[in-house]
């Protein structure tokens, strides 16, 4: 497999992430939200997003597995590493790289809701709407993308390509 067509360029991502940061800063003006990033895909997005926030905030991480290194969802979500902060009474924002079937996020959302945060919102860079199997409320969306397997900006294929500064489509070799 190889890097195919570039779907979202570096400067488009930068512009949109800044807009999302501004929007979140406005919505959480007098609050100190906890941004929960889902490892490993969400890490690049989170690190850019927090630098465009003008409000105080905290970060925490959670690691789950839903894919087994391939391109198809296994339908099974496992928690590999849990949060280190107690989110009870906090304003939590889940920061995801991509929502595909929605299974992963639906699972994480219910786990976090059971811990009684004051509020819970979801911010995703990419939304692959056509593939949705569970309806998950998305509060902040960077880009809606077509049904293709994408790599770059945190998103991997077999742990590779996360470093690409743009989002590209994964293509088969010639
Ligand atoms: P879902 O549970 O919504 O089907 O999938 C969520 C997770 O699957 C994402 O957090 C991501 O890790 C992975 N995923 C879904 N679509 C893609 C894609 O197009 N490219 C990559 N690299 N990962 C994806």
């Amino acid at each position: 497999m190889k890097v195919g067509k570039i779907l979202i360029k570096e400067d488009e991502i930068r512009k949109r992430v800044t807009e999302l940061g501004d929007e979140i800063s406005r919505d959480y003006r007098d609050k100190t939200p906890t941004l929960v990033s889902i490892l490993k895909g969400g890490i690049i997005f989170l690190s850019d997003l927090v630098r465009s926030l003008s409000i105080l905030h905290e970060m925490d991480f959670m690691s789950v597995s839903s894919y087994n290194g391939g391109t198809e969802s296994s339908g099974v979500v496992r928690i590999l590493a849990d949060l280190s902060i107690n989110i009870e009474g906090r304003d939590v924002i889940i920061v995801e790289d991509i929502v595909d079937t929605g299974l992963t996020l639906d699972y994480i959302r219910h786990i976090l809701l059971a811990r009684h945060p004051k509020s819970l919102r979801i911010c995703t860079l990419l939304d692959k709407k056509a593939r949705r199997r569970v309806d998950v409320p998305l509060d902040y969306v960077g880009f809606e993308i077509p049904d293709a397997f994408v790599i770059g900006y945190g998103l991997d294929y077999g742990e590779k390509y996360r470093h690409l500064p743009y989002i590209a489509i994964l293509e088969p070799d010639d």
Side-chain angles (χ1 to χ4, degrees), residues 66-67 96-98 100-104 128 148-150 155-156:
S66 58
Y67 280 4
E96 254 288 35
D97 48 0
I98 186 165
D100 184 17
T101 62
L103 289 169
T104 310
K128 221 192 269 180
F149 193 84
V150 292
L155 290 153
D156 73 312

Side-chain angles (χ1 to χ4, degrees), residues 10-103:
E10 191 174 353
D11 57 342
E12 292 176 287
I13 297 177
R14 196 178 307 122
K15 181 168 172 278
R16 188 68 189 117
V17 172
T18 304
E19 286 170 3
L20 288 173
D22 289 345
E23 204 179 325
I24 292 173
S25 300
R26 271 199 307 278
D27 293 352
Y28 289 82
R29 212 171 22 248
D30 304 315
K31 299 178 176 139
T32 305
T34 304
L35 276 67
V36 170
S37 171
I38 312 301
L39 299 172
K40 303 172 195 169
I43 181 86
I44 308 268
F45 176 37
L46 179 85
S47 62
D48 279 346
L49 183 67
V50 293
R51 282 176 290 177
S52 66
L53 290 179
S54 54
I55 49 163
L56 288 178
H57 59 275
E58 302 166 343
M59 287 180 234
D60 205 356
F61 301 90
M62 208 170 176
S63 178
V64 303
S65 86
S66 58
Y67 280 4
N68 299 319
T71 60
E72 282 302 310
S73 178
S74 64
V76 180
V77 180
R78 273 194 312 142
I79 292 195
L80 303 176
D82 208 338
L83 298 177
S84 64
I85 296 177
N86 177 4
I87 58 162
E88 187 175 346
R90 309 248 185 174
D91 292 300
V92 175
I93 307 174
I94 301 175
V95 179
E96 254 288 35
D97 48 0
I98 186 165
V99 186
D100 184 17
T101 62
L103 289 169

